Amino acid sequence: MDDTQQKEQQQQQKEQHQQQSEDGSHQDQSARPTGAVVTDPQVRKQVFERAVGRSNGTEEPVDPRGVVFNGQDYAYSAKALHKAWAKDTSAQSTTLGVTHAYEPPDPTVGDRDLVPCRFHVTLQKQRRYDVKLLLRYCDGDSSVGDAYVQGALYALDSIVRGCELPGAIPIDGDGGAGRQLSAAAHPVPCDSELPGVSLHWEYKFTVRAGRGGLLVNVAQRLVPAIASRTVADLARDFFVPTLRASAAGGSLASLGEREWREFEATAKNLRVLVQGNTSCAYRVVGISTASADQTAGNRRPPCLLLKAADGSECEPISLEAAEICGTQVLRPMARWQRARMLMLGYLTPTQRQQVAALGAHALGSTQSRALDIFGIRVGAELARVDAHVLRQPQLLMKEKKKDGGDYASVVCNEPPRDSGKWELASRCAVDARTLTSWSIVVLGCSKLTMPPPLVQAFAMQLVRACCDLGMDVRNTQPPVTYAMISRAGGIEQALAEAVAAGAGAGASSSSAQLVVCVLPSRSVRIYGELKRVALTVLGVQTQCVVAEHVRAHSPRLMAMVALKINVKLGGATAELAKRDGPDGLNGPHGLGDDGATLVIAADVCHTTETQRMSVAAVVGSVDTQARRFQGIVVQHPVRMELIENFDVLVRQCVRLFYRATGLKPRRILYYRDGVSDSQLRAVKDLEVRAIYRGCLLIDPDYRPAVTVVLARKRHSTRFVAEAKNDGAVKTTEFANCLAGTVVSHTVCSPVVSSFYLAAHQPDLGVTRPTCYLVLHDDSAFAPHVLRALTYNLCYTYPIVCRSATMPACLYYAHRLSGKGRLQLSSRFDELSYFHTKTQSSTATSKSSKSKNSSSIPPPHLVPVHKNIQDSMYFM
């Protein structure tokens, strides 16, 4: 298989059309730029096929048979394209130039004024892939390089994705990208709640290396599509709830600038045709609200701002005059549309299996030239694999005696163990804390919109939930303060006043233990600044609640808030029972009887608000049961996934564990999240060595056993359990896998010890298992022991009454990386990210914004306050 890099350059001869008028003057028609690179995949495919298909006796002929072009930068062939490449297999730099004349329709002029274009296509041989080596890799031959395998799989991906499914719906302006919408006969039923939008399944096929052979992963997602409608109709559907509640008769002219700015995000980048000029396609670049700002007696809907293909701006047109051309993906949608589509996307296991089977059957039955060229045959049926279910661990909580005596330990998750859930009814936390001094602060709401009796009623319900959990709440009527946060520094001042009020209400505490913050909305700007002040300035634990939940709260919500408060104060919800079972697990969680196992987890967060910073978070256990963790947050190079100075962070985790337990870890179990296939080797070479270096920094003779496990959630592999058939009656029903289902063959990596674990059962949809890869293991864990240990750690997440999808330490690292991005040296609500969203689009405001942003130094991370650095404040 030859992998050739294709570079296209457009070279157009400049032509001047001189038209002489009656008075003898001349006009020069502007020429299109020369040497431009073509980016449209459809045009690139057409030019490539015509250029390579020439066989008119040129000096360097190309065999056009057996060529597949992905529309971007790479073409693949089953044999050598050039005669020199066939003779000399070592030639890697042979190039071939082909020039071909092509006349595409110019979108800026009419059909009669087509301008001839000449394209220059350059082919350069890159690499040859042997399928036999790839099959050897699938059989477990690790001598085949990872880079070689990734390149071969990428080539197969491009070939498979180039297949056109029977009855597929093409997406306008997105040809050649490998996207496949399901046929019109199989869309998801769309009721009247989503008018004008057709929902279809988009299939994406990925070739994976499995154990014993190659597999095709069929991923599908729900995509909203629109076609043959005016932009005005699209706007009416977008504002359905607003127009129904409007007193102006449901007219678009009654909407304000704020509503139209929300619709602008949906209309942007749509390709439209203008009435009266259907041969010219324009792209929407924005909405002008000049018409909406007129007087109430003469208000009209705003106009669309369009741009032609050559980049020139056009005159604004009305929404009624713009018609959407072709079938286009609608993105983003209104909030109510997204919520409705999300509910439609929750399929039962049987429905999910049917949708995936449709995609697999379409790919297996397609008559694709690309598959025939390379001799690829794809099965039309979904793969069947065997699985086994792990034994559920015993989870201990406390149960109060009926006579009012002391608490007694009780197993809270007795069989049946189908779902991995348990109830809090009549049970208390295994380690419940005392809450002495606390207060409530209401931000952004006045006493009229949030009356004090309503807040006090919420406080009483919260106190009751905490007491049901076993906590001792000394102050059942906390002080309530109100603060408006519109002024600069208002959040810091309001939080400081709430801390002072809570300290004064406590019996003996010098400072408040907790501040419950009622936020007006889910604004990231307000939440980020509040957490920044609490974590870095005041050093106080905070628990945020949205105002709508204060007005209408459920017992389930109150129980979850009580669980989080107890954990932040140093408590624990449940613990795993010690057992000596036949699976080889000893001690709590299976970490060993000596308790000298340190559990570390790490994650990297690439921040959105700062845009110039990444945050690395590392958490380490500080007890022998891996129940309590402390975290470390460091600033990281932008968009870098590997953790720098990891040896120093490991040394700090070992010190914290020794300080809390008095034991020197004999084993280190390291869980890592967010690593792709291309970074496996780098993680194994850099971060594993960093762990050993961190131990050597403590003692030159200290070398504990290290086990490194990578966890992945971002994949499209799904498993559904086939229903048992009773007698001669065969059913086609499927169900979710039981909690603890493990798949360790067929679909797993052929050269790395790996397994899929479904540790939970979802309430909606289909279970997404977590893929685990064991990169390094000095402890010589038996495969079934490491799987059971990982499954046990999924039951230690303290703020839910069910098993989590991953070990709790990975959730801690993820939450800490999200909270760590808030530990900034400057105010979070003053970041340029928020000013860009609210700033006007005028040239004056843009220039002033650029001047101000250049004078403000970039923010950096600061340590968390010493008052809370030893707690699990990130919960």
Side-chain angles (χ1 to χ4, degrees):
M1 185 189 304
D2 285 331
D3 179 6
T4 60
Q5 184 181 23
Q6 179 268 351
K7 299 179 180 178
E8 299 178 358
Q9 291 184 346
Q10 178 186 6
Q11 297 179 349
Q12 175 188 352
Q13 302 295 334
K14 183 177 181 181
E15 298 179 358
Q16 295 183 353
H17 301 277
Q18 298 181 351
Q19 299 177 354
Q20 186 174 7
S21 58
E22 295 180 357
D23 56 357
S25 61
H26 294 76
Q27 289 182 344
D28 293 337
Q29 199 174 52
S30 60
R32 296 170 62 187
T34 61
V37 177
V38 180
T39 58
D40 189 352
Q42 291 180 345
V43 178
R44 292 167 72 94
K45 274 193 171 183
Q46 295 173 1
V47 173
F48 180 84
E49 292 175 358
R50 294 194 180 187
V52 177
R54 292 180 56 190
S55 57
N56 53 0
T58 58
E59 297 181 358
E60 296 179 338
V62 176
D63 187 358
R65 295 172 298 177
V67 183
V68 175
F69 178 48
N70 64 356
Q72 298 174 356
D73 295 323
Y74 292 94
Y76 307 94
S77 63
K79 59 181 181 179
L81 284 179
H82 192 268
K83 58 183 180 180
W85 299 349
K87 295 179 180 179
D88 185 8
T89 58
S90 63
Q92 299 292 334
S93 59
T94 304
T95 58
L96 172 66
V98 179
T99 305
H100 181 71
Y102 178 64
E103 295 182 1
D106 189 350
T108 61
V109 295
D111 291 338
R112 298 180 180 179
D113 300 326
L114 295 180
V115 180
C117 300
R118 294 186 68 85
F119 296 88
H120 186 68
V121 180
T122 302
L123 301 178
Q124 182 178 2
K125 181 180 178 182
Q126 292 296 309
R127 194 167 188 176
R128 180 186 295 272
Y129 293 107
D130 191 352
V131 180
K132 294 182 180 179
L133 291 179
L134 191 57
L135 294 179
R136 280 173 47 190
Y137 178 84
C138 295
D139 291 335
D141 187 357
S142 59
S143 62
V144 184
D146 293 338
Y148 185 91
V149 173
Q150 294 300 323
L153 292 178
Y154 179 80
L156 292 175
D157 283 346
S158 301
I159 295 170
V160 173
R161 293 177 186 177
C163 304
E164 294 185 2
L165 300 182
I169 302 175
I171 302 177
D172 185 77
D174 203 15
R179 306 184 63 182
Q180 300 285 341
L181 289 188
S182 63
H186 304 290
V188 173
C190 183
D191 53 15
S192 59
E193 295 298 326
L194 283 177
V197 179
S198 60
L199 300 181
H200 299 269
W201 288 107
E202 177 186 2
Y203 292 105
K204 182 178 180 181
F205 305 105
T206 307
V207 181
R208 302 283 180 84
R211 294 185 181 179
L214 296 175
L215 301 170
V216 177
N217 187 280
V218 183
Q220 65 273 356
R221 64 169 181 169
L222 204 57
V223 174
I226 52 175
S228 303
R229 310 182 65 221
T230 64
V231 180
D233 295 335
L234 180 63
R236 294 187 185 95
D237 296 338
F238 186 89
F239 295 113
V240 163
T242 306
L243 295 179
R244 287 177 180 176
S246 176
S251 173
L252 293 177
S254 61
L255 302 175
E257 182 178 359
R258 179 179 178 182
E259 287 81 6
W260 286 114
R261 289 306 174 193
E262 295 178 359
F263 178 72
E264 184 179 23
T266 299
K268 258 188 176 181
N269 297 323
L270 287 178
R271 297 182 71 248
V272 297
L273 297 174
V274 181
Q275 293 180 1
N277 186 13
T278 58
S279 62
C280 178
Y282 298 91
R283 189 171 296 274
V284 180
V285 297
I287 291 181
S288 173
T289 56
S291 299
D293 292 336
Q294 297 176 3
T295 60
N298 191 25
R299 297 184 65 178
R300 295 175 299 171
C303 299
L304 292 178
L305 302 179
L306 306 179
K307 182 175 290 187
D310 60 349
S312 60
E313 297 183 357
C314 308
E315 291 293 332
I317 63 171
S318 64
L319 303 182
E320 300 286 352
E323 184 177 355
I324 299 171
C325 59
T327 301
Q328 302 183 49
V329 175
L330 181 61
R331 177 181 304 116
M333 306 174 69
R335 179 178 297 180
W336 70 272
Q337 290 176 322
R338 291 197 302 268
R340 183 58 184 166
M341 191 183 70
L342 184 63
M343 295 304 299
L344 291 174
Y346 283 125
L347 302 182
T348 63
T350 301
Q351 294 173 336
R352 184 65 179 261
Q353 191 273 344
Q354 292 174 354
V355 173
L358 285 175
H361 179 74
L363 180 63
S365 60
T366 182
Q367 302 295 329
S368 174
R369 183 180 68 90
L371 297 182
D372 295 337
I373 289 173
F374 296 93
I376 298 176
R377 297 293 180 267
V378 181
E381 299 294 333
L382 297 179
R384 282 180 168 84
V385 297
D386 294 330
H388 64 278
V389 181
L390 299 176
R391 186 174 67 171
Q392 184 182 21
Q394 291 184 348
L395 203 63
L396 297 181
M397 295 185 69
K398 289 186 176 181
E399 186 173 15
K400 194 172 183 180
K401 295 182 179 179
K402 296 181 179 180
D403 56 359
D406 296 333
Y407 292 96
S409 297
V410 63
V411 178
C412 64
N413 56 338
E414 291 286 357
R417 54 179 178 82
D418 295 343
S419 61
K421 306 176 185 177
W422 60 92
E423 297 293 338
L424 276 178
S426 70
R427 297 184 179 94
C428 304
V430 69
D431 184 9
R433 294 305 174 102
T434 301
L435 181 58
T436 303
S437 55
W438 62 299
S439 62
I440 299 178
V441 56
V442 181
L443 301 176
C445 299
S446 63
K447 293 184 179 181
L448 296 178
T449 58
M450 185 67 63
L454 183 63
V455 180
Q456 289 293 346
F458 168 79
M460 291 300 299
Q461 294 295 329
L462 182 58
V463 170
R464 181 178 302 175
C466 291
C467 294
D468 292 340
L469 192 61
M471 296 179 59
D472 182 11
V473 182
R474 304 289 176 83
N475 185 9
T476 59
Q477 295 182 351
V480 180
T481 59
Y482 289 78
M484 304 305 295
I485 54 178
S486 57
R487 63 183 185 277
I491 294 180
E492 182 173 351
Q493 182 179 354
L495 197 57
E497 294 176 355
V499 170
S508 59
S509 301
S510 59
S511 62
Q513 294 176 276
L514 174 73
V515 176
V516 178
C517 306
V518 180
L519 304 183
S521 63
R522 293 180 174 87
S523 171
V524 179
R525 183 175 183 177
I526 299 176
Y527 176 83
E529 175 61 13
L530 174 68
K531 287 296 183 179
R532 184 197 70 86
V533 174
L535 297 178
T536 62
V537 179
L538 301 179
V540 62
Q541 299 285 2
T542 57
Q543 178 58 54
C544 297
V545 182
V546 186
E548 61 185 45
H549 291 160
V550 175
R551 298 186 180 95
H553 47 270
S554 62
R556 183 177 180 180
L557 174 66
M558 292 291 98
M560 187 194 69
V561 174
L563 289 173
K564 298 185 69 173
I565 291 175
N566 185 54
V567 173
K568 291 179 180 180
L569 296 180
T573 303
E575 64 180 8
L576 293 176
K578 180 179 178 180
R579 71 181 188 192
D580 298 322
D583 50 8
L585 298 180
N586 296 320
H589 308 64
L591 298 177
D593 291 325
D594 54 4
T597 301
L598 170 63
V599 180
I600 299 177
D603 194 11
V604 177
C605 172
H606 306 292
T607 60
T608 304
E609 297 83 9
T610 57
Q611 301 177 352
R612 290 174 291 179
M613 180 191 304
S614 294
V615 177
V618 179
V619 296
S621 59
V622 291
D623 60 2
T624 59
Q625 298 182 355
R627 195 176 62 183
R628 299 288 304 173
F629 283 78
Q630 290 187 20
I632 308 169
V633 179
V634 293
Q635 190 168 337
H636 207 50
V638 180
R639 310 304 301 179
M640 181 176 177
E641 190 64 38
L642 300 179
I643 301 177
E644 285 190 338
N645 301 324
F646 190 53
D647 51 351
V648 180
L649 302 179
V650 171
R651 179 183 63 177
Q652 181 66 13
C653 290
V654 174
R655 287 179 173 177
L656 292 174
F657 182 84
Y658 180 79
R659 185 187 306 168
T661 64
L663 299 174
K664 205 172 187 179
R666 297 175 53 188
R667 293 171 298 274
I668 295 180
L669 181 57
Y670 173 46
Y671 285 95
R672 182 70 158 86
D673 191 13
V675 179
S676 61
D677 288 334
S678 60
Q679 297 171 330
L680 291 180
R681 181 64 59 182
V683 170
K684 187 173 182 179
D685 294 341
L686 299 179
E687 295 190 5
V688 174
R689 294 178 183 177
I691 295 176
Y692 289 118
R693 288 198 307 268
C695 297
L696 294 178
L697 291 176
I698 299 175
D699 187 353
D701 298 330
Y702 178 47
R703 187 179 176 86
V706 176
T707 302
V708 179
V709 182
L710 267 61
R712 291 180 178 172
K713 285 287 292 182
R714 295 184 179 181
H715 60 80
S716 54
T717 303
R718 301 291 186 274
F719 301 106
V720 292
E722 200 170 21
K724 295 182 179 180
N725 297 323
D726 298 331
V729 180
K730 293 185 177 181
T731 63
T732 58
E733 295 296 324
F734 295 86
N736 268 321
C737 299
L738 301 180
T741 301
V742 172
V743 176
S744 57
H745 57 88
T746 307
V747 296
C748 299
S749 174
V751 297
V752 180
S753 177
S754 60
F755 60 93
Y756 286 89
L757 171 61
H760 74 297
Q761 264 197 336
D763 295 330
L764 295 174
V766 180
T767 306
R768 174 185 292 184
T770 304
C771 179
Y772 297 93
L773 292 89
V774 185
L775 289 189
H776 186 81
D777 186 14
D778 285 342
S779 301
F781 283 111
H784 70 280
V785 173
L786 188 58
R787 296 167 196 163
L789 193 155
T790 303
Y791 181 48
N792 290 351
L793 292 176
C794 296
Y795 278 80
T796 60
Y797 198 45
I799 61 175
V800 292
C801 296
R802 62 190 306 169
S803 58
T805 59
M806 296 187 299
C809 55
L810 284 172
Y811 277 103
Y812 298 153
H814 179 71
R815 294 181 68 96
L816 181 59
S817 62
K819 293 292 192 300
R821 82 186 199 279
L822 309 177
Q823 299 174 205
L824 298 177
S825 57
S826 58
R827 288 180 52 184
F828 186 81
D829 54 355
E830 290 184 348
L831 295 176
S832 59
Y833 171 81
F834 301 107
H835 293 282
T836 304
K837 283 191 170 185
T838 57
Q839 203 169 21
S840 174
S841 59
T842 60
T844 305
S845 61
K846 285 186 177 181
S847 60
S848 62
K849 184 253 179 186
S850 61
K851 292 181 181 179
N852 295 335
S853 61
S854 61
S855 60
I856 299 177
H860 60 274
L861 294 183
V862 297
V864 70
H865 199 278
K866 62 180 181 180
N867 291 350
I868 58 175
Q869 63 181 0
D870 295 336
S871 65
M872 297 178 66
Y873 62 88
F874 43 84
M875 296 301 294

